[in-house]
């Protein structure tokens, strides 16, 4: 075989890329990550799910997170709180159905991604920041990436035996290889920023993300993610036509939406915006397939659903774990069926999350969430999926999500909340 620069190149140094790199290096493989941005840099996806902690552990990165969480202002997280027009409900992830970690962190992604990148470098990875991938080719000898240095405009080629794309919303290989497909989800938009929260409410639980349903438009919702330094990330999400206000600034639009909810307007009465108000739209995406000749797509580079259940990082890390195992096998000369060993099982969990997302927006899942308190066994199963365990087929709501949620929707109507759930 022709000599290559590295065993594996990875496009993007976000969570999927750095976790994949560390897993590959455990098998003695050389890895180079090509990252367009300079770190630290802003990113969305600040509320991790407990399932992610196990993937970080496998990559020998968990200790770095635990050791630096307080210093970086990360917030311990043990669940999710929901609010809708005076109705509160909580899901404690430590009371979930599935085995595995029940707690995690809410993180500032600039610092979190930078922490993981530094850990990958410590473990032996090469990371080239400020580099943009402009072309990809593959042949019998391996893969070749054409790369441009964004500061000097100097062009170079980096060869490897295999390439992973962890470029997230950059979606480098899907664009270069014409793999993109329209998402099945309706186009939505988010407006968000960080506040110095000044929250003075003894009932407010900083250990949980707060998800709020708009009091009049049930498919508009808000996130409030507390951090450990008395700041919060706050955003509002809805269909583009609902969220766009051409006659208002982004800041005013966000503040107006906050004022429309009684609970959020009270919690954030003394809050001060401390960061640029940003917007992102058309983020839901899909691809024709997640793999090809000597490449595979990780996380958001393949499919991104919606921020409502914070599934993005969990899917990204799950894909990194699954793909790295197969890359090792392939580079050791074993036959790998990427379709049935990677794409099919990865999409099984994504499909569970996708059903939850769609059911949230058609409000059927909202009924389940707000009326599940009288069904502790069922609540534990739903809690597992909210905690990221969307691949645990011992959970009836993973094994048959559509049927289970249809039954639950009927059971959890307020008048029926005491009925038996054995049919699930």
């Amino acid at each position: 075989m022709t000599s290559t620069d590295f065993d594996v190149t990875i496009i993007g140094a976000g969570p999927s890329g750095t976790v994949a790199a560390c897993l590959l290096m455990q098998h003695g493989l050389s890895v180079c990550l090509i990252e367009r941005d300079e770190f630290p840099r802003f990113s969305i996806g600040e509320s991790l799910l407990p399932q992610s902690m196990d993937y970080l552990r496998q990559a020998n990165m968990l200790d770095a997170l635990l050791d630096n969480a307080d210093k970086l202002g990360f917030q311990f997280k043990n669940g999710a709180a929901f609010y809708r027009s005076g109705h509160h409900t909580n899901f404690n992830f430590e009371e979930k159905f599935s085995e595995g970690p029940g707690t995690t962190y809410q993180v500032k992604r600039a610092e979190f991604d930078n922490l993981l990148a530094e850990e990958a470098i410590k473990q032996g990875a090469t990371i080239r920041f400020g580099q943009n991938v402009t072309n990809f080719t593959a042949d019998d000898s391996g893969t070749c990436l054409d790369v441009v240095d964004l500061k000097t405009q100097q062009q170079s080629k980096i060869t490897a035996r295999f390439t992973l794309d962890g470029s997230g919303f950059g979606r480098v290989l899907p664009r270069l290889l014409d793999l993109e497909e329209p998402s099945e989800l309706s186009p939505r938009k988010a407006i968000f920023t960080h506040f110095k929260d000044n929250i003075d409410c003894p009932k407010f639980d900083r250990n949980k993300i707060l998800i709020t349903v708009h009091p009049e438009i049930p498919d508009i919702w808000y996130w409030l993610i507390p951090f450990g330094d008395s700041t919060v990330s706050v955003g509002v999400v809805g269909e583009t036509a609902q969220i766009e206000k051409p006659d208002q600034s982004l800041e005013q639009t966000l503040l107006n939406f906050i004022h429309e909810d009684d609970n959020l307007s009270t919690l954030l009465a003394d809050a001060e915006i401390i960061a640029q108000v940003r917007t992102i739209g058309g983020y839901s995406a899909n691809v024709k397939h997640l793999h090809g000749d000597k490449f595979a797509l990780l996380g958001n580079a393949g499919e991104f659903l919606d921020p409502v259940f914070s599934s993005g990082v969990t899917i990204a890390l799950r894909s990194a774990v699954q793909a790295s195992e197969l890359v090792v096998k392939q580079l050791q000369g074993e036959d790998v069926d990427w379709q049935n060993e990677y794409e099919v099982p990865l999409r099984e969990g994504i499909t569970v999350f996708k059903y939850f997302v769609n059911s949230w927006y058609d409000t059927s899942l909202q009924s389940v969430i707000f009326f599940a308190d009288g069904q502790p066994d069922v609540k534990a199963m739903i809690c597992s999926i909210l905690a990221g365990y969307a691949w645990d087929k011992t959970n009836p709501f993973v094994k048959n999500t559509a049927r289970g949620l249809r039954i639950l929707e009927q059971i959890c109507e307020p008048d029926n909340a005491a009925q038996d759930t054995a049919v699930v």
Side-chain angles (χ1 to χ4, degrees), residues 79-101:
F82 294 84
Y83 179 85
R84 183 179 68 179
S85 299
H87 192 160
H88 297 264
T89 190
N90 291 334
F91 283 77
N92 183 346
F93 291 157
E94 294 177 286
E95 297 174 356
K96 60 183 171 40
F97 171 85
S98 302
E99 296 292 327

Side-chain angles (χ1 to χ4, degrees), residues 88-246:
H88 297 264
T89 190
N90 291 334
F91 283 77
N92 183 346
F93 291 157
E94 294 177 286
E95 297 174 356
K96 60 183 171 40
F97 171 85
S98 302
E99 296 292 327
T103 63
T104 185
Y105 286 92
Q106 294 171 153
V107 299
K108 298 185 178 184
R109 281 292 301 277
E111 288 78 6
F112 177 70
D113 289 13
N114 192 57
L115 177 68
L116 297 190
E118 290 177 343
E119 185 60 26
I121 292 170
K122 288 179 184 177
Q123 294 190 31
T126 297
I127 303 183
R128 300 184 181 180
F129 293 102
Q131 309 274 312
N132 187 43
V133 175
T134 59
N135 193 43
F136 169 87
T137 56
D139 57 27
D140 290 343
S141 64
T143 67
C144 180
L145 296 175
D146 290 357
V147 177
V148 175
D149 186 297
L150 295 177
K151 287 184 178 179
T152 66
Q153 297 305 305
Q154 182 177 352
Q155 299 182 15
S156 61
K157 294 181 182 293
I158 306 175
T159 59
R161 299 165 65 192
F162 199 94
T163 294
L164 294 171
D165 184 357
S167 59
F169 293 115
R171 301 171 61 76
V172 172
L173 291 189
R175 287 188 293 102
L176 292 176
L177 302 178
D178 191 28
L179 300 177
E180 293 185 298
E181 281 193 334
S183 173
E184 301 168 13
L185 302 174
S186 299
R188 291 188 167 83
K189 193 167 193 174
I191 302 174
F192 52 93
T193 192
H194 286 183
F195 290 81
K196 181 72 174 178
D197 60 76
N198 297 312
I199 294 175
D200 185 22
C201 175
K203 294 183 179 180
F204 178 64
D205 187 352
R206 299 196 73 90
N207 294 337
K208 293 178 175 63
I209 182 175
L210 172 62
I211 296 175
T212 300
V213 180
H214 190 278
E216 296 178 0
I217 311 171
D219 61 343
I220 291 179
W221 65 277
Y222 313 76
W223 77 71
L224 190 155
I225 300 171
F227 300 121
D229 59 358
S230 300
T231 64
V232 292
S233 171
V234 180
V236 60
V237 180
E239 291 190 2
T240 303
Q242 297 170 321
I243 296 296
E244 284 186 339
K245 307 292 181 183

Side-chain angles (χ1 to χ4, degrees), residues 5 11 24 72 82 89 112 144 216 224 280 283 336 366:
D5 297 320
I11 306 171
L24 292 167
L72 296 177
F82 294 84
T89 190
F112 177 70
C144 180
E216 296 178 0
L224 190 155
I280 182 173
Y283 41 72
V336 173
Q366 293 183 27

